[in-house]
Amino acid sequence: GIGARDLEALATGVDPEGRPVLWLGDIGDNRDSWPSVRLHAIREPVRLVDQEVGSTTYEFNYPGGGTNAESILADPDRARVWVVTKGLLGGEVFRVPLSTSRVTTAVRVTGGVGGLTTDAAMSPDGSRFVIRDYLRARLYDAPVTAANLERPTPVALPFQELDEAVTFTRDGTALLVASEGERALWSV
C-alpha cells in the first residue's frame, strides 16, 4: 500500500518503537526535481509467508532542494537512517529525522564521499559501514559521523559492468557485491 516513484535502496534496522523493519528508500530523483522523498519502514513479519505487512512512511527533503540518491544506511539497533546522495562530482551523507506528522529536512553529515554512489550498507553488528560507487568501495568505522567519513579504508572490487549493489555477509566478515550488468554475486 505504499506509493512508489523510484525505489532505490533497502536496509534492515529498527523503527522508533524498536521493532525490526526493512527500510525502503523511495529516494531516486534523477532530475533533482522532487520537493520531497520518502523512507518506508516495513515491519518484519514473524513468519515468512505470503501476507500483507504494515508500514510507516517518513517524508523528508534536503536543505538545498531535490537531490538524487540510491543508498541508505540504517543502524541495526536504533531508529537512525542516513541517505548517501549520488552526485556526479561527489556525494553527501544526510541523517534523516524521522517524523510521521510533518515533512522533515535531512541533516547534512558531510560531503565528499565520492561521486556516483550506487549503494551503501551497515554491518550486522553496527560497527562498520561501506559505501560504493561504480568503481570502488570504501569501508568506514561506525558511527556515521563526519570524522569517520574522513577515514575510509579502500576495498578492491572485481570489475563488473554497471556496479550497483553492496551488503555485508550475515557474520560481517565479507562484502557481497553485484551488478546490473551480470548475474554474478561476488564475495569480497
Side-chain angles (χ1 to χ4, degrees):
I2 60 172
R5 292 183 291 200
D6 192 358
L7 300 172
E8 287 285 0
L10 187 66
T12 60
V14 295
D15 68 9
E17 286 77 41
R19 299 176 296 200
V21 294
L22 294 174
W23 289 102
L24 180 59
D26 192 2
I27 55 175
D29 181 2
N30 293 333
R31 295 190 176 123
D32 297 338
S33 62
W34 295 340
S36 64
V37 290
R38 298 178 294 247
L39 284 174
H40 303 287
I42 302 166
R43 287 188 292 282
E44 286 269 16
V46 175
R47 291 187 29 207
L48 295 177
V49 296
D50 189 14
Q51 63 184 300
E52 265 191 51
V53 293
S55 66
T56 303
T57 298
Y58 301 92
E59 191 171 0
F60 67 97
N61 57 35
Y62 298 97
T67 302
N68 189 29
E70 292 188 5
S71 312
I72 61 175
L73 294 163
D75 188 306
D77 300 315
R78 295 186 290 169
R80 292 176 44 159
V81 182
W82 298 265
V83 172
V84 184
T85 64
K86 184 183 181 182
L88 181 62
L89 300 177
E92 297 181 289
V93 178
F94 291 89
R95 183 181 53 79
V96 180
L98 301 174
S99 173
T100 56
S101 62
R102 63 185 173 84
V103 176
T104 62
T105 299
V107 177
R108 186 176 182 270
V109 176
T110 190
V113 294
L116 300 176
T117 299
T118 59
D119 203 5
M122 184 75 67
S123 65
D125 67 359
S127 66
R128 297 171 293 155
F129 61 97
V130 63
I131 299 174
R132 81 162 297 169
D133 58 35
Y134 288 116
L135 301 174
R136 65 192 147 267
R138 294 175 183 88
L139 191 63
Y140 303 87
D141 289 327
V144 180
T145 63
N148 284 346
L149 283 158
E150 290 178 5
R151 296 187 295 273
T153 300
V155 177
L157 298 178
F159 175 77
Q160 297 177 290
E161 190 179 328
L162 297 173
D163 304 11
E164 288 278 335
V166 66
T167 193
F168 284 86
T169 56
R170 179 178 271 186
D171 63 6
T173 61
L175 297 173
L176 298 174
V177 295
S179 151
E180 286 186 3
E182 61 184 60
R183 292 184 179 179
L185 178 65
W186 293 81
S187 177
V188 179

